Structure formats: structure tokens, C-alpha cells
Amino acid sequence: MVERTATVRCVPAVPCWVGLTARDLTTAQGFYGPLLGWEFVPGPDRWGPYLRAVVDGVEVAGLSELGADWERPVAWTTYFGIESADRAADGVRERGGTLAVGPLSFDAGRVALAADPFGATFGIWEGEPADARPGDAPWTAEPGAPAWIELRTADPFAAALFYGEVFRWDDRDPGRFEVRYEHERVVLRSEDRSVAALRAAKDLAPHWEVFFSVPDTDAAARRATALGGRVLDGPADSPYGRVARLADAEGGHFSVLGP
């Protein structure tokens, strides 16, 4: 039995949870478990089978199973924390985005699924309690946990205006939240740590890319291939570490980030 000692908290204004929609949860467990050192515990099954991935007692990701009649591809979704999912959902619609699901209530708060005006999908999460405590960060630093989230889009500055208005970036305490420009990216910082960015990418459909921490990027890329996945790009050095972009055994795209 996996012992859970903590869960990643809902930190307003920044990405703080990621979820995979898989075709088959057994296949997903067989891939991500050995690759990222995950153990799995059952989650709420109100809308179908659901698992939480655990690293050293900390819940770091959710895995759900696509319905047989869904045409949606296997994909990772990034969830932003917010004090009110309903207000954020209204903001999405008012600013040209699309609300696909919710907001709906579940065991950890309220969630919604949306797309920005450029087509990138993302989630909204109103946690319980919504106000994070001083010092809270959206991710654990352990290998296997999300370490970085990056929006790939044609116009990151236009996208930053959209997300900034929806998640009220200008209203945040500058001592706990900051938006800056570095390494040709619009970077979000939470509690003095860079956690996400928006960057220009004209050769890919707009999307939020999830980066999982690994101790050795090259070894992780080889391991992913052995587990039935593919290497899409890299490994290569970046300003934030050594990166490889991968596809899992069912085609879901993600990246790994090493020292």
C-alpha cells in the first residue's frame, strides 16, 4: 500500500496540477511507473477510473481513462490554481477563450476545462482551501514530479495577456508571484522559483507542455523507448536543464528535464 504524506496544494495564478487522459490506465501505469518512479493510488471515480501518481508520499499527477466513445487524443492537461473557478471561467469566455467542461465540484474543490483563444487547452482548479499558505510552491522538487510547465504558442505575449487577465496576475503579491522575461520566454515565478513559461513556437499546435524532473535525461529517453514510447526531440541542453521531448506508449506527449 502506498503511504501518502502530502498532496500538491492549489497555488493561485500558476500551474499546480497536471492530469493525463489515457486510453488504458494499465498501459499508462506500465509506462510512467518505471520511467518516473511513480506509485499509484485510487482517486475519485465519479467520472470514471482515476488514479493519482505518488512520489515519496506526495501526489504529483492524476491519470484518468478516456471513454470508449471519446475521440480526444491521449494528452496531458495543465491546471492553474485560482480562488474562484466560476470567476475564472467567466473570464475565459469574456476574453475569447472556450469553456469545454465545468466548473464542476469534486473531492478537492472545483475544476473546469478550457481552451485559450489560440487553441491551447488548460484546466482551472479552485482548491480547498483556495488560499495557499506562505511558502507553498506548486511542485515538489523530487525526481518524477512536474518541474516545469511551458506554453508553446505563436504569440506568447498575446497569450500572456489572456492568462494574466483570467488569473489576475497584476493583482498578486509581488513578494510571492512575479512575471518576468528571460531566455526569450515570459516566465512565471512563485515563491522565488521559476515554475512556468510562455514561449514562441510556430512549428507546433498551441499547447501546454509538461516537464517531469529526472536525474538523467539521456537515460530517461532510452528508458522511454524501451517501455514502448518514442523520443520526439532531444536530448538537448536548455537554459533550465537538459531536455528531451517524448511520447508515451499511447502517443501522449510530454518532456523530461534533468539537471
Side-chain angles (χ1 to χ4, degrees):
M1 181 176 179
V2 180
E3 181 180 355
R4 288 174 288 170
T5 59
T7 184
V8 174
R9 288 177 59 83
C10 176
V11 180
V14 295
C16 53
W17 186 252
V18 295
L20 174 71
T21 48
R23 291 287 173 196
D24 180 74
L25 286 182
T26 300
T27 300
Q29 290 178 81
F31 179 84
Y32 288 101
L35 180 67
L36 298 176
W38 287 355
E39 296 178 287
F40 301 92
V41 296
D45 57 1
R46 179 177 174 184
W47 296 296
Y50 187 83
L51 297 172
R52 291 190 175 114
V54 178
V55 173
D56 288 340
V58 179
E59 296 174 352
V60 297
L63 294 82
S64 60
E65 198 167 84
L66 288 165
D69 56 345
W70 282 40
E71 296 182 0
R72 182 180 176 184
V74 172
W76 282 97
T77 300
T78 294
Y79 289 81
F80 282 77
I82 194 63
E83 293 86 351
S84 170
D86 294 271
R87 285 199 299 269
D90 290 341
V92 168
R93 288 187 289 253
E94 291 165 0
R95 291 162 179 82
T98 303
L99 196 66
V101 177
L104 300 172
S105 296
F106 76 122
D107 67 324
R110 285 175 67 73
V111 296
L113 293 175
D116 67 26
F118 314 99
T121 59
F122 64 98
I124 298 166
W125 176 28
E126 175 190 336
E128 297 180 348
D131 292 328
R133 296 166 296 188
D136 278 347
W139 312 121
T140 174
E142 295 297 322
W148 185 247
I149 306 290
E150 196 166 83
L151 176 66
R152 308 288 178 80
T153 190
D155 189 340
F157 297 101
L161 289 174
F162 169 81
Y163 288 98
E165 291 174 348
V166 170
F167 295 109
R168 300 177 21 246
W169 289 349
D170 288 343
D171 298 336
R172 303 292 169 182
D173 178 357
R176 298 180 61 187
F177 175 81
E178 180 186 6
V179 181
R180 65 167 62 170
Y181 186 76
E182 62 181 36
H183 304 304
E184 300 183 347
R185 296 165 172 85
V186 177
V187 175
L188 309 183
R189 290 178 59 81
S190 177
E191 303 295 341
D192 296 321
R193 178 185 173 192
S194 296
V195 295
L198 299 82
R199 66 172 294 189
K202 301 185 184 301
D203 56 338
L204 296 171
H207 70 284
W208 285 94
E209 183 97 358
V210 181
F211 292 70
F212 293 101
S213 174
V214 293
D216 185 325
T217 302
D218 297 73
R222 292 192 295 270
R223 183 65 167 149
T225 300
L227 291 166
R230 292 178 293 129
V231 177
L232 303 176
D233 193 19
D237 293 328
S238 80
Y240 301 99
R242 190 159 175 80
V243 175
R245 189 163 191 256
L246 309 175
D248 66 25
E250 293 187 313
H253 294 180
F254 67 103
S255 290
V256 292
L257 178 67

